Amino acid sequence: MLDPAALAVYAGALFVAAALPGPGIAALVARVLGKGVRESLGFVVGIALGDLVWLGFAAAGLAVLAQSFAGVFLVIKYAGVAYLLYLAWKLWTTANLAQAVDSDTRSESGWRSFLGGLSITLGNPKVMVFYTALLPNLIDLGHLSPASFVELAIVTEAVLAAVFAFYIALAGRARSLLTSPRAMRLLARSCGTIIAGTAVTIATR
C-alpha cells in the first residue's frame, strides 16, 4: 500500500495540473460542443489512457527510454495534429450543425475517436515531464510493486475523471442552450477555430 499522505499530495497536484486549460482540455471541450457528450466518450477514454501510458513510463523509470524513441512519439504527435485539423475542417464546412452532427458522428467509429484522444496525450511530452518530476518526490519507485502501481493508476484515473466530468458537463450545458441554426453554425466555427489552434499549439511544442 502506498502512503495515504503521499497519495493525497499526488492527487492534489494532478488535479490542479489537469484542471488548468491546455491543449487536451481545449480539444475535449471543443469536441463536446461540436459533437455532443455521447460521441465524445471514446475521445475522453483515449486522453485518460494516454496519461496512464506516460505514468507507466515515469513509474518504471523509463523516461530516458521514451526519449530514445522520440521519432515514434513525433509521428504520434503529428497524427494527433492531423486528426484535430480534420475535426476543425469538418466543423467549418458543416452548413447546419444542428442537423448534420448526428450523421457526422455516426460516420466516425468509437475507435477513431479513441485514437484521436490517445494521440493527443501521447503527443504531449509535457505529461510525462509532470509525472517524472512528481513521482520520485512522493513515492519510492525502487520498491513500487504492481499492486501499488494499480493503486496509483486508480487514483490518477479518478482525478482525471473528476476534471473531465466537470468540463464535459459545462460544455454539454452550453451546447444544449444553442438551438438555432445560426447559433449552431457560429458554435461549429468557433469550435473549429479552437481545435485548429490546439493543433497548432501541439505541433509547435
Side-chain angles (χ1 to χ4, degrees):
M1 294 290 291
L2 296 174
D3 179 28
L7 268 181
V9 173
Y10 167 78
L14 178 60
F15 180 85
V16 172
L20 292 174
I25 292 296
L28 172 61
V29 170
R31 185 177 175 86
V32 173
L33 284 171
K35 290 182 172 291
V37 175
R38 181 177 298 179
E39 289 75 17
S40 302
L41 294 181
F43 193 76
V44 175
V45 172
I47 293 177
L49 185 60
D51 266 78
L52 281 187
V53 172
W54 285 129
L55 176 66
F57 272 110
L62 297 178
V64 175
L65 180 61
Q67 291 173 3
S68 69
F69 287 95
V72 175
F73 289 109
L74 190 64
V75 171
I76 294 173
K77 170 181 176 177
Y78 285 109
V81 168
Y83 177 77
L84 290 178
L85 291 175
Y86 166 77
L87 288 180
W89 176 77
K90 291 291 289 184
L91 287 169
W92 263 92
T93 56
T94 297
N96 188 345
L97 186 64
Q99 296 178 358
V101 163
D102 288 339
S103 59
D104 181 56
T105 55
R106 279 196 297 268
S107 66
E108 181 178 67
S109 69
W111 277 108
R112 187 174 177 180
S113 178
F114 165 78
L115 291 175
L118 180 64
S119 65
I120 287 173
T121 305
L122 292 183
N124 185 12
K126 180 181 176 182
V127 179
M128 188 186 72
V129 171
F130 169 80
Y131 289 123
T132 303
L134 185 64
L135 289 184
N137 294 313
L138 297 174
I139 297 167
D140 183 5
L141 297 180
H143 297 86
L144 185 67
S145 67
S148 296
F149 177 77
V150 170
E151 186 179 357
L152 191 63
I154 290 173
V155 171
T156 299
E157 293 302 284
V159 171
L160 293 178
V163 172
F164 293 161
F166 169 76
Y167 279 107
I168 288 172
L170 191 66
R173 177 61 177 167
R175 189 176 190 271
S176 67
L177 295 176
L178 299 168
T179 56
S180 73
R182 182 173 182 273
M184 292 300 286
R185 184 165 53 252
L186 289 174
L187 172 63
R189 292 181 176 178
S190 297
C191 292
T193 302
I194 293 172
I195 290 179
T198 300
V200 172
T201 300
I202 293 175
T204 55
R205 286 188 173 183

